[in-house]
Amino acid sequence: MKEYLIHDEWCIIEEGFNPENHMSSESIFSLGNGKMGQRANFEETYTGPSLQGSYVAGIYYPDKTRVGWWKNGYPEYFAKVLNSPNWIGIDVQINGHYLDLYTCKTENFKRVLNMKEGYILREFVAIIDGTKKIKVEAKRFLSMADTENGAIRYSVTPLNFEGKIAFTPYLDGDVVNEDSNYDEKFWNVLEMEAHAGEAYIVTETKKLGFRAGFGMKIKAQIQGIDIPIKPELMKKESWVGNRVEREIKEGECFTLEKIAGVTCSLNYSKDGILAATKKVTNSGFEKGFDALFADHTKEWTQKWIHSDIRIEGDIAAQQGIRFNIFHLHQTYTGEDERLNVGPKGFTGEKYGGSTYWDTEAYCIPFFISTAPSNVTRNLLVYRYKQLDKAIENGEKLGFKDGAALYPMVTMNGEECHNEWEITFEEIHRNGAIAFAIHNYIRHTNDFKYLEEYGLEVLVAISRFWSQRVNFSGDKQKYVMLGVTGPNEYENNINNNWYTNKMATWCLKYTSEALEIVKKNNPSAYESITAKINFNAEEEVAKWKDIVDNMYFPFNEEMNVFMQQDGFMDKDHTLVADLDPKQRPINQYWSWDRILRSCYIKQADTLQGIYVLEDEFDTETIKRNFEFYEPRTVHESSLSPCVHSILAAKIGEIDKAYEMYLRTSRLDIDDYNHEAHEGLHITSMAGTWMSIVEGFGGKRVYDGKLFLSPVIPKEWKAYAFRLTFMNNDLEVLVSQDEVEVISHADQKVELSVFNQLISIEPHKSTSVKVK
């Protein structure tokens, strides 16, 4: 763990500059607005280790894989989110000496990520040329209101001298991806322009031809008053900028404001990118830094109203949850159904920025309850629009008749994951996508979605499951061979309990969905079944037979579900008895040793119990939790949240709190020693779940809302907002009572501690904690 960041309710604060922490801070202090993102790289020159990262949503590159592509069905490439041209750069020179925090001494360094208003601020004193001191203040944000604009205000004040200070703001198209398979540069620069006070660059990706435009306009101030500038125009091969130099007196504040515009061919014609970039850049510049920032903060205010979680008495816990919610909002806004939630968001290159099952399993519960329903709907439509590709993926592996295997990793619907045990075996992702449809509908009553999109997806997934199983003559049951469950520390196993369970759930739910559509809209039912050539009598009968006769591993002696066949053949030394020097095991053990161990990377059997909790009584949940959690190393970011929720369910509040702190501060405290690679965005949604579903006990059954809150002893109180059936509710939990406040315009009914209550519009009611 790294614990160099100061605890604060609304800010992430770093005091004192340590280059060893810099790459982690670049991730932690990242900014985004759904359309673009930026790691917290310094504007000025920095010659130390750094992962440069500027990202434009939806732009990617098919980087040809090094191995496996010649095998039937194996992806030929891994999709990469691209490090895009650098628009934040501002070289700073003091009497000809470059400001570089890697080489010069600093005093009073402070970096602040203000999550309430969505900006980063740096303040420090740098010592240049041995004796000359300058005070620097740099503020940056990516507008949540004007989402194609970013803005920087950069100020330098000489403290003990007067001399020449030069700012060189620039745009740089000569960028690389650290994770390029062949050390290839992914961009070509098509156009560059430099004019007095402005510059533009248009770039295009190789292979797929995405185009992106980057523009900047600048102005300068002394002591807060605008001054005329006559910049030197500068151009290099893939770089364009302006240079502004002034003689500055001791104590005078010299400020440069840089307004950027970023556009791409997802939203504009390729030939019109330069014109669009100029328009966006000029619009932002005319509005000005302060007005842009004011509108930006208004957007953040609205987001926090509907999604903030307040914790009293525990600043570390409070900071953790707000940090997670903040980055979720920065990553995805739900305005564009072509976009999704990358596991690292806009904070790093790892995992390629592609779509994983994480979205459906972890992010959708967050967006369902904190954002307008169209946000979640768009995430589901994203998968519907890739259904044809999912069917193609299935066909490559030998499935037929419209059976769909959704990819483990994708940008456009094609599978692009390059590890065979994941690509071909971790098929449980199909179950997460189907369950997300159910989860959305039970929160919104939007059964229309089934008619428009959902039913086709469900049938295609169910066709896959019905072909993926085979009947075992030995067991006289249907079995599922050669799979990998959520626990990726087990590969090529037979009868993973979670995968088998989700398969049967999907088959049952699809059968129910067919009847719902048939009843609600017979003509739509006829149209859909004709389109997909669906034989209801034959296919549903086959599904029912599989559901009734699926094999599930079970240990009679311990009365627990078995993760897979043969799990008890392993050595069962518990995690608590491992040498701490060998943790995390994925950094110290061979893969062979890990695969032969009993150790679990993340919830697997417990994942199924979490998802389908209503099928199990508390004692069953408790037995399985007490068996599996001691064997779990929590080396996936997705692990602590599920364990926190289940621990709260069975009354293990201290364990739930331990797991909550781990998930909420996973990146802030760098539990897994990998924050420098980027943040764990999708697990951040799990952090929200650990409070609302864990401590808050929020459940939805048969279209009804249930709450059974508990509270850790470390907290005085906590509060959260949630939207259910388009009704906005606020829940306040103290050690003594639960208060539910309605912000809805109609009467709302829900259950608190299994007690049915009704709340009139804009009223509240309280229930004593049990």
Side-chain angles (χ1 to χ4, degrees):
M1 289 173 60
K2 291 182 180 179
E3 297 181 277
Y4 67 96
L5 300 170
I6 294 170
H7 291 187
D8 183 272
E9 292 187 352
W10 275 108
C11 295
I12 306 296
I13 302 170
E14 178 183 8
E15 290 187 345
F17 181 64
N18 181 349
E20 292 183 3
N21 296 329
H22 180 56
M23 288 181 66
S24 295
S25 290
E26 285 183 326
S27 298
I28 291 167
F29 289 79
S30 294
L31 295 177
N33 64 10
K35 274 194 177 178
M36 59 177 170
Q38 175 67 52
R39 281 174 63 85
N41 310 125
F42 293 160
E43 289 88 357
E44 72 276 4
T45 300
Y46 184 75
T47 56
S50 173
L51 176 61
Q52 294 293 309
S54 171
Y55 309 106
V56 180
I59 290 183
Y60 66 97
Y61 184 82
D63 197 13
K64 186 176 181 180
T65 182
R66 287 182 174 276
V67 296
W69 54 265
W70 60 89
K71 299 174 183 176
N72 187 42
Y74 204 94
E76 295 186 12
Y77 66 90
F78 190 87
K80 301 286 176 69
V81 61
L82 296 191
N83 179 23
S84 301
N86 174 15
W87 62 267
I88 67 167
I90 304 174
D91 285 343
V92 180
Q93 288 177 279
I94 313 298
N95 288 337
H97 295 275
Y98 280 97
L99 174 62
D100 181 352
L101 268 62
Y102 190 64
T103 58
C104 72
K105 293 182 179 179
T106 61
E107 297 174 352
N108 303 319
F109 179 94
K110 187 175 184 179
R111 175 162 31 186
V112 177
L113 175 65
N114 185 308
M115 298 180 290
K116 192 172 188 177
E117 297 185 334
Y119 66 88
I120 54 173
L121 176 70
R122 282 189 301 139
E123 298 174 317
F124 59 89
V125 172
I127 303 171
I128 308 296
D129 195 22
T131 60
K132 296 179 177 63
K133 290 188 176 184
I134 59 169
K135 178 182 177 182
V136 176
E137 181 176 301
K139 181 177 181 178
R140 182 164 84 220
F141 66 93
L142 300 184
S143 177
M144 276 286 187
D146 302 272
T147 52
E148 293 172 319
N149 288 125
I152 301 167
R153 177 177 280 162
Y154 199 105
S155 299
V156 175
T157 304
L159 298 180
N160 61 354
F161 70 98
E162 61 180 41
K164 290 183 179 179
I165 297 179
F167 291 124
T168 305
Y170 62 86
L171 305 170
D172 184 7
D174 186 22
V175 293
V176 298
N177 265 55
E178 186 181 70
D179 67 347
S180 170
N181 286 339
Y182 297 91
D183 298 322
E184 181 183 8
K185 291 185 177 180
F186 298 144
W187 292 95
N188 290 318
V189 175
L190 303 183
E191 297 178 83
M192 293 195 306
E193 290 185 10
H195 310 284
E198 59 188 312
Y200 304 92
I201 186 170
V202 174
T203 56
E204 183 176 66
T205 64
K206 300 176 182 178
K207 293 186 180 179
L208 297 182
F210 290 108
R211 288 190 185 179
F214 300 81
M216 71 171 196
K217 291 198 75 169
I218 61 171
K219 73 174 184 178
Q221 298 174 333
I222 293 181
Q223 296 293 92
I225 300 173
D226 291 353
I227 60 171
I229 57 172
K230 294 182 179 180
E232 176 187 354
L233 307 185
M234 305 182 72
K235 269 191 179 184
K236 301 176 186 177
E237 184 177 353
S238 302
W239 183 104
V240 61
N242 283 194
R243 188 174 189 273
V244 179
E245 184 177 73
R246 295 283 295 212
E247 190 79 31
I248 303 298
K249 298 177 183 178
E250 181 178 331
E252 276 189 336
C253 179
F254 185 26
T255 299
L256 183 90
E257 288 186 359
K258 180 179 183 180
I259 306 298
V262 179
T263 65
C264 73
S265 55
L266 271 68
N267 304 309
Y268 301 94
S269 69
K270 287 186 176 183
D271 293 338
I273 290 294
L274 180 60
T277 305
K278 289 182 177 181
K279 182 177 180 180
V280 166
T281 305
N282 277 279
S283 175
F285 185 78
E286 290 171 8
K287 197 169 188 178
F289 186 98
D290 291 329
L292 282 171
F293 185 68
D295 289 345
H296 166 72
T297 58
K298 288 177 184 175
E299 289 295 317
W300 269 114
T301 296
Q302 288 302 308
K303 289 185 181 298
W304 284 119
I305 284 173
H306 294 287
S307 63
D308 188 25
I309 292 179
R310 306 191 305 276
I311 298 173
E312 294 182 25
D314 191 339
I315 293 179
Q318 177 68 87
Q319 183 184 45
I321 187 59
R322 282 183 173 146
F323 178 74
N324 286 261
I325 293 170
F326 175 74
H327 277 289
L328 283 163
H329 283 311
Q330 290 199 130
T331 302
Y332 183 77
T333 61
E335 295 172 2
D336 190 337
E337 64 191 30
R338 297 169 298 176
L339 304 178
N340 209 283
V341 186
K344 294 292 183 185
F346 297 122
T347 70
E349 298 174 10
K350 192 175 181 182
Y351 302 127
S354 305
T355 303
Y356 286 62
W357 70 290
D358 304 22
T359 293
E360 284 76 19
Y362 298 89
C363 297
I364 276 181
F366 169 77
F367 289 115
I368 282 175
S369 293
T370 64
S373 59
N374 68 290
V375 172
T376 301
R377 207 176 203 269
N378 278 344
L379 285 171
L380 299 178
V381 170
Y382 176 92
R383 292 292 194 179
Y384 172 78
K385 290 193 171 181
Q386 295 181 353
L387 178 57
D388 288 345
K389 290 287 187 182
I391 292 171
E392 285 182 22
N393 292 334
E395 289 172 348
K396 290 176 183 177
L397 303 184
F399 298 92
K400 58 186 180 180
D401 299 328
L405 175 59
Y406 274 92
M408 186 65 185
V409 179
T410 192
M411 279 289 194
N412 64 357
E414 285 184 304
E415 177 65 76
C416 62
H417 197 282
N418 297 146
E419 297 174 32
W420 68 267
E421 68 276 9
I422 307 299
T423 306
F424 300 130
E425 293 190 342
E426 200 165 335
I427 56 177
H428 65 80
R429 69 246 194 183
N430 259 10
I433 291 167
F435 190 84
I437 294 171
H438 163 66
N439 207 12
Y440 167 72
I441 292 172
R442 69 176 177 172
H443 280 80
T444 62
N445 269 346
D446 183 9
F447 288 100
K448 193 75 175 174
Y449 181 80
L450 284 177
E451 302 167 16
E452 295 175 345
Y453 307 108
L455 189 59
E456 286 185 57
V457 172
L458 292 171
V459 170
I461 287 173
S462 290
R463 282 172 163 172
F464 169 83
W465 290 127
S466 69
Q467 295 175 40
R468 185 60 172 79
V469 300
N470 62 275
F471 191 78
S472 165
D474 178 58
K475 291 183 171 62
Q476 288 296 297
K477 294 281 186 179
Y478 287 96
V479 295
M480 192 104 66
L481 307 179
V483 303
T484 296
N487 173 28
E488 294 171 346
Y489 288 176
E490 298 272 13
N491 298 153
N492 199 32
I493 58 174
N494 295 333
N495 294 308
N496 172 252
W497 185 89
Y498 172 73
T499 305
N500 287 14
K501 190 68 179 174
M502 291 306 297
T504 56
W505 179 89
C506 287
L507 295 172
K508 286 190 289 187
Y509 181 63
T510 304
S511 299
E512 293 169 8
L514 283 161
E515 292 302 314
I516 290 170
V517 175
K518 187 176 182 179
K519 178 181 177 181
N520 290 348
N521 192 337
S523 63
Y525 175 84
E526 293 297 329
S527 175
I528 294 168
T529 53
K531 175 184 176 183
I532 62 177
N533 194 27
F534 184 72
N535 186 318
E537 184 176 352
E538 289 184 9
E539 296 195 53
V540 173
K542 176 67 180 296
W543 298 349
K544 186 177 186 305
D545 187 48
I546 294 170
V547 170
D548 292 342
N549 294 285
M550 180 69 86
Y551 169 72
F552 295 99
F554 188 80
N555 187 287
E556 299 283 352
E557 180 181 349
M558 290 176 291
N559 199 21
V560 296
F561 308 121
M562 280 290 96
Q563 183 172 279
Q564 74 262 350
D565 287 348
F567 186 69
M568 293 309 297
D569 293 336
K570 296 170 176 287
D571 172 73
H572 280 265
T573 301
L574 300 183
V575 173
D577 297 320
L578 286 174
D579 181 355
K581 294 179 181 178
Q582 295 293 301
R583 301 286 307 279
I585 62 172
N586 63 20
Q587 295 182 18
Y588 292 96
W589 287 16
S590 70
W591 192 239
D592 169 73
R593 184 180 179 187
I594 290 173
L595 292 176
R596 288 186 288 108
S597 78
C598 72
Y599 302 121
I600 302 168
K601 182 182 179 186
Q602 68 188 74
D604 192 308
T605 302
L606 294 182
Q607 180 79 21
I609 290 174
Y610 157 69
V611 173
L612 303 175
E613 183 192 290
D614 57 321
E615 296 186 15
F616 312 103
D617 59 37
T618 303
E619 284 304 311
T620 299
I621 298 171
K622 184 178 177 66
R623 283 195 308 275
N624 282 274
F625 184 89
E626 291 177 347
F627 178 79
Y628 283 107
E629 198 284 327
R631 293 164 172 79
T632 304
V633 289
H634 300 295
E635 289 174 11
S636 164
S637 66
L638 300 172
S639 186
C641 59
V642 173
H643 289 84
S644 180
I645 294 166
L646 292 179
K649 169 68 178 179
I650 63 176
E652 298 287 345
I653 308 305
D654 288 345
K655 187 65 171 180
Y657 177 74
E658 173 198 337
M659 291 289 99
Y660 164 75
L661 273 189
R662 179 160 182 162
T663 188
S664 68
R665 300 190 65 83
L666 180 75
D667 291 310
I668 301 175
D669 294 336
D670 201 6
Y671 272 84
N672 292 342
H673 313 295
E674 56 189 17
H676 61 282
E677 298 174 334
L679 307 180
H680 297 85
I681 301 300
T682 51
S683 78
M684 289 176 168
T687 300
W688 177 92
M689 289 159 51
S690 67
I691 290 185
V692 177
E693 297 183 4
F695 299 126
K698 176 238 174 189
R699 301 290 189 273
V700 176
Y701 300 128
D702 298 323
K704 298 176 182 178
L705 178 64
F706 294 78
L707 299 173
S708 298
V710 295
I711 183 169
K713 62 181 182 296
E714 291 83 0
W715 298 355
K716 294 179 181 177
Y718 66 99
F720 58 88
R721 295 278 282 258
L722 58 86
T723 299
F724 179 72
M725 300 294 178
N726 294 317
N727 296 312
D728 185 10
L729 303 173
E730 185 174 0
V731 182
L732 291 79
V733 183
S734 69
Q735 294 287 349
D736 301 317
E737 68 175 15
V738 177
E739 181 183 9
V740 182
I741 303 170
S742 173
H743 299 280
D745 294 326
Q746 59 187 356
K747 184 169 74 173
V748 177
E749 289 188 346
L750 70 154
S751 174
V752 180
F753 301 125
N754 292 319
Q755 175 183 337
L756 184 64
I757 61 174
S758 296
I759 310 175
E760 296 298 324
H762 306 285
K763 301 292 184 181
S764 68
T765 190
S766 297
V767 179
K768 291 294 182 183
V769 169
K770 293 187 177 181

